[in-house]
Amino acid sequence: LTQVLEASDVVLEILDARDPMGCRCPQLEQAVTCSGGNKKLLLVLNKIDLVPKDNLEKWLKYLNKEFPTVAFKSATLMRDKTMEQVTKRRPRVDLAKTSQSFGSKCLLKLLQEHGKTQNKAIQVGVVGFPNVGKSSIINSLKGVRACNVGVARGVTKSMQIVHIDKQTKVLDSPSIIADPSNSALALALRSIIDTEEPDSAAVLEGVNAIINNCGKQQVMMHYSMPDFRNPEEFLSLLAQKRGMLKKGGVPDVENIAKLVLCDWTGAKISYHSQPPESQRPPPYLTEQKIAEMKEGFNLTNLDQENSSTVQALKYPSPASSIIFQSAGMVNGTIEENKVVEEGSKWQNMETSKEEEEEEEEEEDEEEEEEEGSKVQVTRKAKLGKGQTNPTNSEEQMAESEHSTSLSFNLDKPAEEDDAYDFNTDYV
């Protein structure tokens, strides 16, 4: 992610239209606006078809006062380069409608015009939290499936370069890491929670936070469920309705919670949040910075393109869209700091382990000297006179001192010891 920010001339921060403020990372925006160079930050409002039209227009009006914002709907089904062939006897599926994206021409035009003002080929970094649709936007701009996409979080694990045209190069990046100090609601929607792990405490906590911040009646209507008192009862009723039961008819709450979380982070459920009543830009976003970010872009043309994009789509009715209370901006963290801290801890652990090993070796040597004398006495007692070889026993004792890894516990008294002794005869 740091490499992408450093290499980019324009940074696209991708926002989920259902919770735009919850997709904004103040650390990222501050890093771009205060970089000192001529970097630009654009906001891309993705998944606009999942919110009511009035709500979308309010958010576009609100966000455009701070950064240039592009309304966008990514292509949902994209034909792969390697999957052009269609088998016989199977009806040909028309992917023209499903693979159509909205807002891609507007965004490309905006980037190309900026590239002309710079008189050079520009690099565009695509950044954002998990599941906001970063790779899908790149595929929509390219027109083919150039990046892997999926419902699972964290599909993109490294920087990937995609050439859109001769003047525009797009850099796909891994997701922003949400700081653990954020609220449970922010972490549920904006962090990478592995739903395949057996420990589902984070999933249950996230679903509880989501249900508690939604309109209860609309959740009941969406899932066609009776009234429930708390999120735990909601999950139990939903598991019974869908037949997800354990042995004895016990509701499988853990697995149904994973499905609910995937519904909310994917593109299944229509929910929307309201923009703040008053426009209060963050402290790092002064009037001068706002003017710098908008400089070089044709904002009048951008408004016209956004309005035509908004008019071209169908939207869910406000009654069927769940009202959602946003947690606000989500703080991001840099993974390198944690790695350094962990490295120092490991170094301390390694040094302490070395000291412990040295102490253990010294103790083993002392024990072996005592045990060697015991062994020599027992061998004389067991084997009788004339059968012991003092030179051999001294050599074997010396070898046993060097081979500390082959030391055994010989705390038995001489009467109970066996005639065949591993410590002297094994080597």
Side-chain angles (χ1 to χ4, degrees), residues 21-32:
M21 195 58 69
C23 297
R24 292 181 63 178
C25 177
Q27 288 78 12
L28 168 71
E29 294 181 1
Q30 187 174 5
V32 177

Side-chain angles (χ1 to χ4, degrees), residues 178-325:
D179 194 278
S181 62
N182 288 296
S183 64
L185 178 63
L187 292 174
L189 295 174
R190 305 289 165 242
S191 64
I192 299 177
I193 299 177
D194 190 1
T195 56
E196 299 299 326
E197 288 186 359
D199 183 17
S200 57
V203 178
L204 289 172
E205 186 180 2
V207 173
N208 289 349
I210 291 171
I211 299 300
N212 287 328
N213 285 272
C214 294
K216 183 178 178 182
Q217 298 294 331
Q218 292 173 315
V219 172
M220 290 164 54
M221 289 176 60
H222 177 80
Y223 288 99
S224 301
M225 288 178 55
D227 191 10
F228 55 89
R229 290 170 292 181
N230 49 47
E232 290 79 8
E233 188 177 3
F234 162 77
L235 292 174
S236 298
L237 293 172
L238 187 60
Q240 290 176 354
K241 181 186 175 185
R242 297 192 176 179
M244 296 185 67
L245 305 174
K246 298 180 181 178
K247 288 183 179 180
V250 180
D252 192 352
V253 176
E254 291 80 9
N255 282 325
I256 198 67
K258 294 175 183 179
L259 290 179
V260 171
L261 187 61
C262 289
D263 288 349
W264 281 78
T265 54
K268 263 193 171 183
I269 294 182
S270 170
Y271 64 90
H272 66 279
S273 59
Q274 296 294 336
E277 295 179 358
S278 59
Q279 190 91 18
R280 293 181 182 178
Y284 55 84
L285 205 57
T286 60
E287 292 183 0
Q288 182 182 356
K289 292 291 183 183
I290 293 174
E292 289 178 2
M293 291 297 110
K294 294 182 177 180
E295 187 180 357
F297 295 108
N298 190 344
L299 299 181
T300 305
N301 189 23
L302 174 62
D303 290 337
Q304 293 176 355
E305 293 286 344
N306 279 338
S307 61
S308 62
T309 301
V310 170
Q311 297 298 327
L313 283 171
K314 290 183 179 180
Y315 300 92
S317 64
S320 63
S321 181
I322 300 173
I323 298 174
F324 177 76
Q325 295 179 0

Side-chain angles (χ1 to χ4, degrees), residues 306-363:
N306 279 338
S307 61
S308 62
T309 301
V310 170
Q311 297 298 327
L313 283 171
K314 290 183 179 180
Y315 300 92
S317 64
S320 63
S321 181
I322 300 173
I323 298 174
F324 177 76
Q325 295 179 0
S326 176
M329 284 191 176
V330 178
N331 292 321
T333 184
I334 300 176
E335 197 175 14
E336 291 175 357
N337 294 339
K338 292 188 176 181
V339 173
V340 172
E341 291 176 2
E342 290 175 359
S344 61
K345 290 179 182 177
W346 278 109
Q347 289 174 359
N348 296 335
M349 289 175 68
E350 286 174 0
T351 53
S352 63
K353 282 182 180 179
E354 289 175 359
E355 293 173 358
E356 290 177 0
E357 288 175 357
E358 289 176 359
E359 292 176 358
E360 289 177 358
E361 286 178 359
E362 292 176 359
E363 292 175 358

